[in-house]
Amino acid sequence: MRTGRGLSILVPLLAAGFAFAASANTPTRSELRLAGLKIDDPLVLVHKNLGQPQRVIGAPGSGHAILLYPGLRIEMTRSGRVLMLKSTSSRYCTPSGVCPGKPLAEVRKRWGEGTTDEDAQGRGKISYDDIGGSSCFVEVEPDTSRRVVHSVGFACP
C-alpha cells in the first residue's frame, strides 16, 4: 500500500514538472508576424497595412530594398516580397506578445533560453533557429540593461 500511496503523490508532481518544462517552447512559424505581416507577403500588402514608408533604401522590385517605418524595418526581396521584419517599437509584437519593452525573462519563459551570440560590442542577441524545421530564425536583442527587449526580428533566408 505504501508504494501505491507514494505513486499517487509522485505522479501529479511529475505531471506538473512536465507541464512547467513544456511551457517554454521555441517559437513556431505562426509567431513570425509583426504589424499584420509575415514572411513572403507582397509589397502591396505592406502598403495596405502600413501605408508609405518613412524612408526607403534601395528600390522595391529592382533589387534588395529596405522599408523603414517608425519602429519597424522591413527588408524586401528582389521579387517584392517580405524577407525580414524587425521591430523596435512596442506597437509591433509577435502574436504571442513578444515585443520591445517586455522583460527578457518573459521571452525566455515563453520561448526558452535560445542561443546567445555576442557581437563586437559585447551585446548578446538571443537567437531561436530552425523555426518549424526551416531556415527561419528569430533574434531578440536586449537593451543595455540586458533585462528588457530592445528589438525582435526574424527572417527566412
Side-chain angles (χ1 to χ4, degrees), residues 5-146:
R5 183 174 172 200
L7 284 177
S8 67
I9 294 170
L10 185 59
V11 169
L13 290 174
L14 285 172
F18 285 126
F20 177 76
S23 67
N25 296 313
T26 57
T28 62
R29 184 98 183 197
S30 65
E31 275 294 280
L32 305 184
R33 289 181 155 284
L34 291 171
L37 299 169
K38 64 185 184 319
I39 302 298
D40 288 330
D41 277 346
L43 181 60
V44 168
L45 187 58
V46 173
H47 287 156
K48 180 180 176 188
N49 284 8
L50 300 170
Q52 291 299 315
Q54 188 175 45
R55 185 170 163 224
V56 177
I57 301 169
S62 64
H64 187 84
I66 300 170
L67 310 177
L68 300 172
Y69 293 87
L72 187 66
R73 175 187 175 109
I74 303 172
E75 293 190 28
M76 305 295 292
T77 64
R78 179 176 298 253
S79 62
R81 300 218 169 254
V82 173
L83 172 66
M84 188 275 302
L85 291 156
K86 182 179 181 179
S87 170
T88 56
S89 169
S90 60
R91 291 178 52 204
Y92 305 116
C93 303
T94 67
S96 70
V98 172
C99 54
K102 294 277 183 159
L104 201 53
E106 201 175 292
V107 175
R108 287 191 162 128
K109 182 179 178 183
R110 181 172 284 128
W111 289 346
E113 290 298 312
T115 304
T116 302
D117 301 314
E118 296 285 329
D119 65 11
Q121 289 78 33
R123 295 178 299 201
K125 292 181 182 176
I126 302 164
S127 297
Y128 300 91
D129 300 321
D130 303 323
I131 306 298
S134 69
S135 63
C136 300
F137 65 90
V138 175
E139 266 188 1
V140 177
E141 182 180 356
D143 71 351
T144 55
S145 75
R146 294 181 180 236

